[in-house]
Amino acid sequence: MKQSLLFVPTLKEAPKDAEVKSHKLMARAGLIKQTSAGVYTYLPLAQRVLRNIEKIIREELDARGCSEMLMPALQPRDLWDESGRWDQYGPELMRLKDRKERDFCLGPTHEEIVTHAVRDYINSYKKLPLALYQIQTKFRDEMRPRFGLMRGREFIMKDLYTFHENQEDLDVWYQSMKEAYTAVFKRSGLETRIVSSDTGQIGGDEADEFMVMSEVGEDTISYCMSCSYAANQEFSGLKEGDACPRCGGTIKTAKGIEVGNIFKLGTKYSVSMNAYFTSREGKREPVIMGCYGIGISRTLMASVEQHSTDDSLVWPEELTPFDLHVIPVNYRDQEVIDNVDAFVKRLEMDYRVLVDDRDERAGVKFKDADLIGVPYRIVIGKDFKDGKVEFFDRYEGVKEVIDLESLESRLKTLYNKD
Ligand code: ATP
Ligand code: MG
């Protein structure tokens, strides 16, 4: 891919209202452009990373029996009246009217729509379980949109809903989805902590949140120094120095960014929206539901927050928008252009390559390359005619001149190809 065609509008200065590292860096590196408070255009580099996150999610969910679909963002009021949420939701709900003065909202979440989609079909236990998800733009008129992609008014979410004949089956799927989420965040290069937001009551709703530990997080997590206990402070009320309710160890607190959550919904929507089925015993019962969200745009933000330096994005291997960044110092003479193009063409057979074909000074190209943060950089300079390039490994921070054969074997090792 030629950089001149990619549209990467890098900036010297971060926008004035950008407060946190990820927001500054994503704006400076040409990943996002704000259009209004909490609303962003995802530019090509960001879109490539989002697609990578989505790919990981699809692979992990599909492997566990979930099916992807796509529901409307535009949702009619009558379904929200059925669940009772049209009146309960408050000002976060983006409401609008059509030309006939009928009420609609822009979906902040899709329990109503998914329940409506399946309720006629699920008439018997034989149709259960079901696990349906989508990847879609969500709308919430947040009181404080901030920190770039962290709290948007329009953001990308994966939402999954599961349907079960009994609590035991929900428990099995809940556990399986917990494992899927753990895999998704691990593959995305994120260190997460699973934090219980359990109310603790017997029969009460069980919920877990996936947190990326970060100073800029809006949640406070109480966790135990001695065992794996961790809970959202909102629910646990535990402060630094308190005793762990599980093992008596010492509680510490830290800030976290919630990138995902899983929740045993129970029968709230099936009862209010009339999603009933005939059980094995021949009884009419409400379907038991679970719901599971991942903030995809927030995951992108959290990755940048967790990995990058102040002047350089650093992409985890499965998220990087490109595998290799090729920088010809001179891309002017036709002979050089032809040689570079041939070299890139060979690399492109195995890797996703970004080549800086712009007529810019080397210093400008290097600075942008640091901002963009592709893990491996290949600089083509004077030695290229002798079969040598400069190779930079951003993860290790090591730069060296190597010949083309060594480059080939190095890349194979790095990307586990043979
Ligand atoms: P929060 O407590 O951060 O407002 P939430 O409990 O409202 O989150 P859910 O409704 O469960 O979140 O949404 C699922 C996921 O969507 C969250 O775990 C989070 O990663 C993401 N998310 C929620 N609100 C936003 C937002 N305004 N901007 C970006 N991502 C969001
Ligand atoms: Mg919220």
Side-chain angles (χ1 to χ4, degrees):
M1 175 85 219
K2 287 194 160 137
Q3 200 165 328
S4 63
L5 294 173
L6 187 65
F7 186 43
V8 190
T10 53
L11 304 174
K12 285 215 174 61
E13 302 281 336
K16 288 209 172 50
D17 62 340
E19 295 171 68
V20 298
K21 179 176 78 178
S22 55
H23 188 187
K24 289 180 188 160
L25 208 44
M26 276 193 267
R28 280 179 60 208
L31 267 75
I32 53 172
K33 172 99 178 157
Q34 185 175 325
T35 57
S36 68
V39 182
Y40 291 85
T41 294
Y42 305 99
L43 304 173
L45 274 178
Q47 177 65 359
R48 290 179 78 100
V49 181
L50 291 170
R51 296 259 295 263
N52 292 338
I53 300 172
E54 291 167 7
K55 177 169 178 278
I56 295 171
I57 292 175
R58 289 187 168 106
E59 286 173 4
E60 296 298 336
L61 292 185
D62 293 358
R64 290 171 175 83
C66 305
S67 302
E68 183 173 0
M69 57 187 210
L70 183 58
M71 292 180 266
L74 191 61
Q75 308 188 4
R77 173 178 176 162
D78 56 346
L79 293 179
W80 283 71
D81 278 334
E82 281 189 41
S83 71
R85 286 209 294 182
W86 185 265
D87 293 326
Q88 286 160 13
Y89 212 93
E92 242 182 56
L93 191 63
M94 295 271 197
R95 297 162 205 258
L96 67 156
K97 287 187 191 295
D98 71 4
R99 63 169 75 207
K100 292 191 172 138
E101 292 290 307
R102 284 178 298 219
D103 286 313
F104 285 82
C105 66
L106 295 176
T109 173
H110 279 69
E111 283 81 4
E112 283 81 1
I113 303 292
V114 78
T115 305
H116 169 260
V118 303
R119 65 183 172 191
D120 295 335
Y121 168 82
I122 301 178
N123 53 5
S124 153
Y125 71 90
K126 291 177 196 163
K127 305 280 183 60
L128 297 169
L130 266 185
L132 304 169
Y133 74 98
Q134 64 171 347
I135 291 175
Q136 197 215 32
T137 300
K138 296 282 188 274
F139 300 86
R140 293 182 187 178
D141 200 354
E142 300 274 2
M143 186 148 70
R144 292 192 67 196
R146 61 180 192 148
F147 294 174
L149 300 188
M150 180 153 113
R151 187 163 295 283
R153 296 196 299 161
E154 179 179 320
F155 59 97
I156 304 169
M157 196 205 285
K158 183 286 300 172
D159 45 329
L160 163 74
Y161 307 88
T162 63
F163 303 87
H164 313 274
E165 59 176 304
N166 55 37
Q167 188 67 32
E168 293 70 47
D169 193 51
L170 170 62
D171 292 346
V172 168
W173 277 80
Y174 188 83
Q175 187 55 34
S176 168
M177 292 306 113
K178 202 186 244 188
E179 284 159 20
Y181 273 39
T182 303
V184 164
F185 293 120
K186 183 154 184 275
R187 286 180 62 187
S188 300
L190 281 171
E191 247 178 71
T192 50
R193 203 183 264 272
I194 301 179
V195 168
S196 167
S197 47
D198 198 340
T199 54
Q201 296 155 313
I202 296 183
D205 296 323
E206 187 177 343
D208 289 281
E209 298 169 332
F210 286 73
M211 294 282 182
V212 171
M213 309 316 281
S214 162
E215 275 307 305
V216 308
E218 289 178 323
D219 290 87
T220 304
I221 294 126
S222 320
Y223 64 96
C224 178
M225 300 282 284
S226 315
C227 75
S228 65
Y229 178 85
N232 195 319
Q233 199 175 52
E234 254 179 57
F235 301 96
S236 74
L238 292 169
K239 298 181 301 300
E240 188 105 9
D242 282 355
C244 169
R246 192 184 291 163
C247 78
T250 309
I251 290 289
K252 288 219 43 101
T253 60
K255 295 280 180 199
I257 302 171
E258 181 194 314
V259 285
N261 66 23
I262 57 179
F263 195 76
K264 291 183 180 172
L265 268 179
T267 56
K268 175 172 159 62
Y269 294 92
S270 44
V271 168
S272 61
M273 297 186 66
N274 204 19
Y276 282 73
F277 70 102
T278 305
S279 72
R280 286 168 201 267
E281 291 76 38
K283 286 207 311 238
R284 198 169 165 271
E285 287 177 18
V287 177
I288 295 177
M289 289 171 62
C291 72
Y292 317 76
I294 292 180
I296 293 176
S297 41
R298 189 184 280 181
T299 297
L300 163 58
M301 172 269 179
S303 173
V304 175
E305 205 56 55
Q306 193 167 79
H307 294 291
S308 303
T309 70
D310 282 342
D311 293 301
S312 169
L313 291 162
V314 180
W315 296 111
E317 224 163 82
E318 283 211 57
L319 297 199
T320 184
F322 290 94
D323 300 320
L324 305 173
H325 200 169
V326 173
I327 303 189
V329 173
N330 155 7
Y331 194 73
R332 288 188 201 97
D333 309 329
Q334 196 53 49
E335 195 186 333
V336 178
I337 291 178
D338 291 344
N339 289 338
V340 169
D341 285 356
F343 172 67
V344 168
K345 210 166 189 172
R346 278 201 307 280
L347 287 175
E348 279 180 333
M349 291 183 355
D350 293 310
Y351 307 99
R352 298 164 304 151
V353 184
L354 178 64
V355 54
D356 195 343
D357 60 328
R358 297 172 304 162
D359 187 6
E360 294 285 359
R361 283 183 295 111
V364 172
K365 292 186 177 186
F366 288 140
K367 199 147 192 236
D368 282 353
D370 281 341
L371 270 176
I372 295 168
V374 174
Y376 306 110
R377 186 182 72 194
I378 298 166
V379 178
I380 300 183
K382 286 200 190 69
D383 292 346
F384 188 56
K385 59 180 184 321
D386 304 322
K388 289 193 169 75
V389 293
E390 184 197 276
F391 184 72
F392 176 58
D393 180 332
R394 193 174 296 284
Y395 296 134
E396 303 292 332
V398 178
K399 202 180 341 188
E400 62 193 300
V401 174
I402 60 176
D403 59 57
L404 296 179
E405 267 162 44
S406 318
L407 175 72
E408 200 177 315
S409 56
R410 173 76 63 89
L411 291 177
K412 275 185 183 156
T413 322
L414 290 171
Y415 282 106
N416 296 318
K417 296 193 186 191
D418 33 40

